[in-house]
Structures are given as C-alpha cells and as structure tokens.
C-alpha cells in the first residue's frame, strides 16, 4: 500500500535554495499561486518563512495529489486547500494571482502544459507580476551538464512528449508570444535554474 501522504525527497534538497530567491520576489501581501504542487512540501516549508499576509494557493493536475498536499500543509493558516488545476484548462479556478511559482513541471509534462502555463499566467497576473519557473533547462539547445543530458534521456524514455526544455529557443519565445518577458535567471544547485518571467 502507498504511504500517505507521499513524500518527494528532492524537495528537501532544493527547497531552501528556491526559497532564498522566492523571498526576493514575493509581495508583502496577496496571493501566490503554485502550479504543480506535487506533494505540497514546498508550500509547507516555504509559507511560514514568507510574509505572513501572503496567501499560498497550491494546485495540481493530478486529482490524487490534492489529499497529499492538504495533509502536508494542514495547520498552516496561510495555505489554502489544494485545487485541481491543469495548466491546459482554458480557464483556471483561480482568477487572479500576484505571483506564480511552478517547480519541476514543464519537463515532466507535454509541451502543451508549458504553453498552457504561459497562457494562464498571462491571463491572471497583473502587469509586472512574476511567473517563477524552477528546474533544468537547455541553453542554445545544449544541455548544461552531463547529468541533465542523462535526465533528459530518462524522461523521454518514459514519455516521448516529456523532456528538458530549451530556455532560448522554446521557453523564452513561447512566453514572450503571450506577453511574458524574460526578467532574470538564477543558478541553482544541481544544474537547475530559476527563471523569472514578468507580465508586460
Ligand atoms: C515532478 S512533479 C513536481 C512537484 C513539485 N512542484 C516539486 O517540485 O516537487 C510534477 C508535477 O506536475 C504535475 N503536472 C503535470 N502536468 C501538469 C499540468 N498540465 N498542469 C498542472 N500540473 C501538472 C504532476 O501532477 C506532478 O505533481
């Protein structure tokens, strides 16, 4: 029988590096929409370390993720119950957000999930609002480390529609096409990046 709630051990390794950048991006108050929350462990760790008036809305496209998220975030007043949100939905159940965080999703989903993410973020962010992406990226079509190349091969072997996306030829142009301009990039441990796109 599966253990409940599920755990994602990688969140223990990356959460403080992500948090250190997120702290510099969040507003003092308002709504942070998390896309693809997975187990909810990022929300549970980060929310108590962010401004108390910032409300965190976790979401995921997998219906069975919602109970895990709610179990991990129980008792944290600034975290709302998890909502079902597939980025490819033409309309999202959250009409407005001040900032959006999406960790480790666009390479573990079809490219349409990334396109849906950019379109949805452009719909619900205010001008200047940030979409924050975390994960591995290719640069100029090339992997930045052998471990990322191997990871990409393993992803594509699991599902041919998955794969590490190219920041320069895929992510930035697709985001810009819907009004999300590249604003910043931050190097993260283990050859990952944080990418900040802002609504123009
Ligand atoms: C590798 S997990 C990442 C979870 C968490 N963000 C983390 O970093 O540990 C990928 C998550 O993306 C979700 N996902 C996949 N396609 C999605 C989509 N189109 N919209 C929203 N979430 C999606 C999956 O259900 C899964 O929970």
């Amino acid at each position: 029988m599966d253990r409940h709630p599920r755990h994602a051990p990688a969140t223990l390794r990356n959460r403080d590096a992500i948090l250190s950048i997120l702290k510099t991006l969040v507003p003092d108050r308002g709504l942070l929409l998390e896309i693809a929350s997975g187990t909810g462990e990022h929300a549970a760790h980060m929310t108590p370390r962010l401004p108390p008036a910032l409300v965190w809305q976790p979401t995921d496209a997998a219906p069975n993720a919602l109970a895990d998220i709610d179990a991990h975030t129980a008792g944290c007043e600034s975290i709302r119950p998890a909502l079902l949100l597939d980025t490819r939905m033409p309309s999202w159940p959250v009409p407005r957000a001040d900032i959006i965080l999406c960790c480790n999703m666009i390479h573990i989903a079809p490219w349409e999930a990334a396109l849906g993410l950019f379109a949805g973020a452009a719909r619900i962010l205010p001008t200047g609002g940030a979409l924050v992406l975390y994960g591995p990226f290719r640069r100029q079509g090339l992997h930045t480390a052998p471990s990322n190349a191997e990871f990409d091969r393993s992803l594509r072997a699991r599902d041919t529609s998955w794969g590490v996306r190219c920041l320069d030829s895929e992510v930035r142009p697709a985001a810009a096409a819907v009004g999300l301009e590249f604003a910043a990039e931050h190097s993260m441990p283990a050859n990952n990046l944080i990418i900040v796109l802002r609504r123009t």
Side-chain angles (χ1 to χ4, degrees):
M1 184 187 285
D2 283 350
R3 206 160 48 126
H4 177 76
R6 290 175 307 127
H7 285 272
T11 60
L12 297 177
R13 297 190 292 274
N14 61 32
R15 63 189 190 179
D16 285 314
I18 299 171
L19 178 62
S20 70
I21 301 299
L22 193 61
K23 276 181 173 169
T24 69
L25 298 169
V26 293
D28 285 341
R29 58 184 58 251
L31 184 76
L32 182 153
L33 172 63
E34 186 187 17
I35 301 292
S37 301
T39 60
E41 287 164 286
H42 279 149
H45 178 73
M46 295 184 198
T47 306
R49 294 165 176 82
L50 291 170
L54 185 73
V55 173
W56 187 300
Q57 174 65 70
T59 68
D60 202 279
N64 62 3
L66 305 187
D68 291 319
I69 297 168
D70 288 343
H72 279 293
T73 59
C76 187
E77 282 183 8
S78 317
I79 307 182
R80 288 185 181 165
L83 292 174
L84 194 65
L85 189 161
D86 185 317
T87 56
R88 295 167 295 186
M89 292 168 165
S91 134
W92 289 1
V94 179
R96 187 184 183 287
D98 298 289
I99 182 167
I100 300 175
L101 174 67
C102 180
C103 300
N104 287 323
M105 190 275 279
I106 68 170
H107 56 287
I108 312 185
W111 178 237
E112 289 69 29
L115 295 178
L117 173 64
F118 301 147
R123 281 195 305 271
I124 73 164
L125 283 173
T127 301
L131 168 62
V132 182
L133 305 176
Y134 167 85
F137 294 87
R138 285 180 288 128
R139 301 303 309 265
Q140 309 292 348
L142 302 175
H143 288 293
T144 59
S147 57
N148 281 6
E150 181 50 38
F151 183 45
D152 189 31
R153 274 193 291 276
S154 71
L155 288 172
R156 292 175 195 273
R158 282 169 68 189
D159 189 316
T160 54
S161 72
W162 295 3
V164 174
R165 310 302 177 190
C166 179
L167 180 60
D168 306 290
S169 64
E170 295 176 316
V171 173
R172 285 181 62 162
V178 293
L180 295 172
E181 290 295 339
F182 173 82
E185 105 180 44
H186 303 271
S187 295
M188 292 280 106
N191 304 301
N192 289 297
L193 294 176
I194 280 183
I195 303 300
V196 184
L197 303 165
R198 287 197 185 272
R199 180 80 175 93
T200 54

